[in-house]
Each structure stands twice: as structure tokens, then as C-alpha cells.
Amino acid sequence: DNIGGAKKETFVKESDTKDLIITVLNSNRPPKIGNLESHIGYVNKTNISFDSLDLNSNEDIDIDGEKIVYQCHYDKLKDGIVSSVNDCTSLVGLKFNPIDGQFSWDLKFGQEGDYEFKISASDGGTILKNGKELESVDHKIFTVKAENINKAPEIVDLASQSQTIKE
């Protein structure tokens, strides 16, 4: 009889035991936010709304099942860098929920211009990258161009005005 091309007599009946140590390292994976579109809107006419979600779960939970907490910051310089100085909710008409990543902005008169926003998502953990322990976070940057539209003129109450005519 052959077993896998070897003769049965070549196998020896013996047993052996080895101790094995397995070390499990932290395998936390950071959240992954989907791409956020840039927008053009008109003051007093446009509402920009969207929900920030994890790409892997399509929820506010990352691939490891950890709850995501969101942050939103902005600046007015379109350079691909947004610091954490200006919180989004400091803009009039803008609501941002750090629990579910809901963003909603009703553009108002006086807010014309270019804005750059950064939405960050963190699972509260850390990851090991290039030998360094870093915060487990992802972020996406998008822009909003708020344009002015022709504001209708307002007529003031003429009855309360008086005029003297000299003859």
C-alpha cells in the first residue's frame, strides 16, 4: 500500500507535544467615512444636508463594531487643510450632530464666500502605524461655495416720513 507516494512502512507511530504561545495584538481598525461631495448653494435659498456614515457598516459604527463620534470644523481657505479652530456649529444656520454625523446648513445672507469643511470620525481607540500609536480616526474634506442672489429691495413706510416744502 502507498500513501501519497510513500510506502506504509516508512511512517513511524509516535506522538509529540509542543507548547505554543500566541500573542494577540490590538487589531483595532479606524472608521472609514465615505466621500463627501462639495456643494454650491445660494444664501437664503439653499439647505445642504447629509449624513456621515462608515463605509464598511453604512451606520455610525465602525467595522469593529465600535461607536463612532464625529467632529466638524471649517475655515475659509481652500487649501485641503482644515484645523480644529473653528467649530462648524459657530456658523449661523448650521447644525451638526456629533453622535450621528448629521450635517445641515441653511445658508443665510452675509455668509457668501468659499468654505472648506472637515468631518472627522473616531472610534475612541488607537492604531499602531509605523511603530507609533495613533488615534483611530478618519476624516474627509469638502467645500461649499455660498453665492449671493439678488436680494429684493424693501420699501420703507413712507407715511411716517415728513417733508417741508419752501415756497
Side-chain angles (χ1 to χ4, degrees):
D1 296 277
N2 286 338
I3 300 174
K7 291 187 178 183
K8 188 175 184 181
E9 297 83 36
T10 60
F11 291 97
V12 179
K13 293 182 181 178
E14 290 184 26
S15 67
D16 193 11
T17 304
K18 300 251 182 202
D19 288 331
L20 183 63
I21 298 173
I22 299 174
T23 304
V24 179
L25 300 175
N26 181 2
S27 62
N28 183 44
R29 294 167 288 180
K32 186 162 180 66
I33 303 174
N35 287 329
L36 302 175
E37 294 181 15
S38 292
H39 300 270
I40 296 175
Y42 300 97
V43 294
N44 253 26
K45 288 217 179 253
T46 301
N47 172 275
I48 298 167
S49 296
F50 60 85
D51 190 0
S52 309
L53 294 172
D54 184 78
L55 271 179
N56 297 303
S57 68
N58 206 29
E59 296 182 40
D60 298 313
I61 297 171
D62 72 4
I63 195 169
D64 299 319
E66 298 163 322
K67 182 76 179 126
I68 297 172
V69 176
Y70 298 93
Q71 292 184 343
C72 180
H73 296 94
Y74 81 96
D75 64 29
K76 295 195 77 178
L77 180 61
K78 290 171 61 174
D79 60 359
I81 301 168
V82 179
S83 73
S84 58
V85 173
N86 300 314
D87 190 85
C88 289
T89 57
S90 66
L91 289 169
V92 173
L94 195 148
K95 294 177 184 148
F96 183 77
N97 187 329
I99 304 300
D100 64 13
Q102 290 279 343
F103 179 103
S104 179
W105 189 19
D106 289 316
L107 300 174
K108 304 291 184 194
F109 282 113
Q111 293 181 318
E112 302 81 13
D114 293 319
Y115 295 82
E116 192 169 61
F117 290 90
K118 178 168 78 173
I119 306 283
S120 301
S122 173
D123 63 12
T126 59
I127 57 171
L128 195 61
K129 190 171 187 176
N130 299 327
K132 293 182 181 179
E133 196 169 273
L134 304 172
E135 182 182 7
S136 179
V137 66
D138 186 28
H139 70 270
K140 294 291 185 270
I141 293 179
F142 67 98
T143 61
V144 172
K145 182 176 185 67
E147 295 184 346
N148 196 352
I149 56 173
N150 188 10
K151 185 176 176 183
E154 295 178 23
I155 298 177
V156 294
D157 180 15
L158 298 176
S160 65
Q161 296 181 9
S162 64
Q163 186 175 21
T164 305
I165 300 174
K166 291 187 179 180
E167 291 188 33

